[in-house]
Amino acid sequence: MSRRQPLKSRPAMATQHDLFGAEATAGTDAAPLSPAASRPETSLPTTSPKLPDNRLRESLALQFDRVPASWRAVTDAFRATQAGQALVRAVDERRAAGAVVYPDDVFRALRLTPLDAVRVVILGQDPYHGPGQAEGLAFSVPAGVPLPPSLRNIFKERDRDLRGAPATDEAAPAPRGRAARPEGSLRAWARQGVLLLNTSLTVEDGQAGSHAGLGWEALTDALIAAVAQRAEPAVFLLWGAHAQRKRELIQSSGAGHWILESNHPSPLSATRGPVPFIGCGHFSVANAFGRAHGWTIDWSAGSAEAEPEDVHRRDGPSA
């Protein structure tokens, strides 16, 4: 059974100076990760001609320029620091050196989910590092791309929780009228207020965790804190040890939120103790919390459609 933690009010609020101070250059958390949290996930053949081209094809500075207004106070404050400038240089230098960096839309999670619309936060660790996979949303892959193992388990638990489907090795059959094979893009969740945020927002091809420690963690901690500081309560789904390290940040920044924790959905831990992901019931619990505050999430929604806001991208398909 998942651990549920309603938060108590705390008078101290984290400031941008606190979030982007000396610790901003300290890099990623040095504590060892569980095998489930650190296991690379890629199930795609590198030569497939059908995969979308999701390489980052422009300066990271240009991506920062397009962050939506609701998040700009946070991203601009970070970008103005030495750590923020160093991050932009580091990513651009890797691209200039010939590294393939994913995804092409680094801040898609912020574009699809405005700060004032956040209802649920799901934290991932690292973008997928296989060709065509990462699309700027935690755990999500573009429509038509084969499902990575953790995403398969996320759908499995969703179906078990909301449809009463057995927890088999495959996702439950879709309701009549939907495609038989589930699409892996979670854009429909993001549009409903589910912030799908990785703690590092870029990665290099075939190298899991390659951009951890470049400075992303300081920015994404500030984004998490910005959600927690709002008066509107949200649900934070912390799956695995890496995400659960953000518990104190959430608790110290705000009140009234709900934290749900379980093991990571990776096959290495999804059915193991102490809190198995399969059986956690987080989707229905989040909606029960939401109904008390005037909202619910349609977790079954597919998302194969194109994004209208991607029309500004002239240099290839969006992923």
Side-chain angles (χ1 to χ4, degrees):
M1 192 164 182
S2 61
R3 297 194 289 269
R4 307 175 189 174
Q5 301 182 27
L7 306 185
K8 297 181 180 180
S9 178
R10 303 210 178 178
M13 290 288 186
T15 66
Q16 289 178 352
H17 176 77
D18 296 329
L19 293 166
F20 302 133
E23 72 277 17
T25 60
T28 191
D29 190 333
L33 298 178
S34 65
S38 58
R39 180 187 185 188
E41 282 199 75
T42 178
S43 59
L44 307 182
T46 58
T47 58
S48 172
K50 298 181 180 180
L51 297 177
D53 183 357
N54 66 330
R55 296 171 296 167
L56 180 61
R57 298 183 293 278
E58 63 184 7
S59 168
L60 185 58
L62 294 177
Q63 298 264 318
F64 269 100
D65 287 343
R66 291 201 293 269
V67 170
S70 69
W71 294 102
R72 285 294 287 268
V74 180
T75 59
D76 284 355
F78 169 74
R79 188 179 178 184
T81 64
Q82 290 184 354
Q85 295 166 18
L87 171 65
V88 171
R89 287 195 303 271
V91 174
D92 287 351
E93 286 172 0
R94 290 301 300 145
R95 289 182 56 252
V100 174
V101 177
Y102 305 125
D104 69 328
D105 192 348
V106 174
F107 296 108
R108 176 172 272 130
L110 306 186
R111 287 198 304 106
L112 294 186
T113 312
L115 175 58
D116 59 3
V118 176
R119 296 167 172 175
V120 178
V121 179
I122 296 177
L123 296 178
Q125 181 173 349
D126 207 30
Y128 295 121
H129 59 273
Q133 289 183 302
E135 64 169 357
L137 302 172
F139 294 105
S140 180
V141 294
V145 172
L147 304 185
S150 289
L151 182 57
R152 190 181 303 277
N153 278 337
I154 288 170
F155 286 160
K156 186 187 306 182
E157 172 55 19
R158 175 201 63 184
D159 294 342
R160 185 211 64 80
D161 185 18
L162 301 179
R163 302 178 191 164
T168 62
D169 289 338
E170 299 294 333
R176 183 177 299 176
R178 292 191 183 275
R181 182 176 62 81
E183 293 291 356
S185 180
L186 304 180
R187 297 182 193 185
W189 293 7
R191 291 192 184 99
Q192 297 178 75
V194 181
L195 181 63
L196 297 159
L197 186 67
N198 285 314
T199 55
S200 292
L201 299 186
T202 54
V203 73
E204 293 183 24
D205 180 58
Q207 300 182 51
S210 51
H211 286 192
L214 291 186
W216 282 122
E217 294 81 4
L219 174 58
T220 53
D221 277 3
L223 296 170
I224 294 166
V227 176
Q229 289 169 0
R230 302 178 317 156
E232 299 84 357
V235 179
F236 289 82
L237 304 184
L238 307 184
W239 298 337
H242 186 86
Q244 288 160 16
R245 292 184 189 133
K246 307 303 180 182
R247 183 193 312 113
E248 184 176 351
L249 173 63
I250 299 163
Q251 291 175 330
S252 65
S253 296
H257 306 297
W258 202 252
I259 293 177
L260 301 177
E261 297 180 335
S262 77
N263 285 4
H264 193 275
S266 163
L268 289 177
S269 63
T271 59
R272 297 181 180 179
V275 187
F277 176 79
I278 300 297
C280 69
H282 284 181
F283 300 97
S284 60
V285 173
N287 272 353
F289 179 91
R291 280 191 292 272
H293 295 88
W295 55 263
T296 58
I297 303 297
D298 179 8
W299 296 108
S300 68
S303 53
E305 74 277 12
E307 288 184 37
E309 61 266 53
D310 274 352
V311 295
H312 73 274
R313 308 188 66 81
R314 301 183 298 276
D315 48 0
S318 177

